[in-house]
Amino acid sequence: MLEKHLRLPAVIDVTGLSRSTIYAMMSQGRFPRPIALGKRVVAWPESVIAKFLRERATATQVAA
């Protein structure tokens, strides 16, 4: 089965992060990088974003 890929507006919606925060975190190595789907089209595999969110939730629970 093919995996769904999320474009930036969907990633913003799912994570609750802003565009600038996502790109700042990517430059710091704290957010997964998208894959190129075309010359000017990028997207994130849904599983990668889900893993990112699970790891953030786990890190928050450990810190509390």
Side-chain angles (χ1 to χ4, degrees):
M1 184 173 185
L2 294 176
E3 181 172 18
K4 185 175 181 181
H5 287 71
L6 305 174
R7 300 285 305 276
L8 184 58
V11 173
I12 290 169
D13 188 47
V14 169
T15 63
L17 300 172
S18 69
R19 177 186 185 278
S20 58
T21 299
I22 289 170
Y23 281 101
M25 289 176 72
M26 281 189 338
S27 70
Q28 299 166 357
R30 296 176 38 221
F31 195 85
R33 294 203 170 269
I35 61 169
L37 299 178
K39 286 185 178 184
R40 296 178 53 148
V41 179
V42 297
W44 288 258
E46 190 172 34
S47 63
V48 172
I49 298 301
K51 180 182 175 193
F52 168 78
L53 292 172
R54 280 193 308 274
E55 289 172 353
R56 296 242 334 168
T58 302
T60 302
Q61 292 169 353
V62 170

